[in-house]
Every structure is written in C-alpha cells, then in structure tokens.
Amino acid sequence: MGDPGKVKALYGQSVEYSLGTIFSFVAAHPDPNLVMIVLGDHQPSAQVSGAGSGRDVPVSILAHDPPVMDRISAWGWKAGMEPGHDAPLWPMSGFRDRFLAAFSPDVKILP
C-alpha cells in the first residue's frame, strides 16, 4: 500500500487542490445566484483516516445569497467549510430529503 506518511500527505494535497479549485472558480465567477453543494463521495483509505473510521463525509453549501443560507439555518451547521464536532450526521438520503424540503417546498418526500 505504500508509505502511510506519503499516502496521507498526497491525500491532503488532493483535498487542498480540490477545494482550491472550487474557491478559485467562485472567486473568478462572482455570481450572486451561484449555489454549490460540495461533498465527498467516500472516506479515504484506512491509511489516511485510521482503522475503524466511519463512512461519514462532509457536505458544504456555498452561496452568496443570505436567504439561501437562511433556508438551512435550522440544520445546526456552522459557517465555513470545516464541520463542527457537534455537526449532525445524516445518511445521504437524509441530506437529500432536507435539501429538497428546504428548497422545493412543494416537493413531498415519501417515507
């Protein structure tokens, strides 16, 4: 599997590159109507995250328009890209249902 220190460093560089690309895009295209959902699709390997780590991935919503953020204010999220230690944990279907309910009030989520 390779040198764990190097694997961790390279993983960190890939995250920095990905977030830097997103931030660069937002800065280069300052659209007041832009809304981005940024999420991981899986945890890194155990060499990076540690043995027995969970499958949770962070989700962030980026928006210039305060009313967008107001719609999710009840979710218990904090400002910024790093989730708080007390951030709620939901399965992806839970995020999807909350997102649809917040931004499509006429959409009814089936149980």
Side-chain angles (χ1 to χ4, degrees), residues 35 61 67-69 71-72 75 98-105:
V35 176
I61 297 179
V68 170
M69 303 313 285
R71 288 187 174 230
I72 66 168
W75 291 6
R98 283 173 177 80
F99 183 82
L100 290 174
F103 294 101
S104 303

Side-chain angles (χ1 to χ4, degrees), residues 1 4 7-8 11 42-51 53 55:
M1 284 216 172
V7 171
K8 286 181 182 184
Y11 181 80
H42 60 80
Q43 280 287 352
S45 73
Q47 280 187 298
V48 174
S49 60
S53 62
R55 298 247 184 242

Side-chain angles (χ1 to χ4, degrees), residues 11-38:
Y11 181 80
Q13 289 174 13
S14 73
V15 171
E16 286 181 19
Y17 174 81
S18 297
L19 292 176
T21 301
I22 291 166
F23 299 149
S24 176
F25 176 85
V26 171
H29 305 282
D31 180 352
N33 296 315
L34 177 69
V35 176
M36 295 180 81
I37 301 170
V38 180

Side-chain angles (χ1 to χ4, degrees), residues 72-89:
I72 66 168
S73 62
W75 291 6
W77 289 15
K78 70 178 190 91
M81 293 295 291
E82 184 177 347
H85 295 289
D86 59 347
L89 300 175

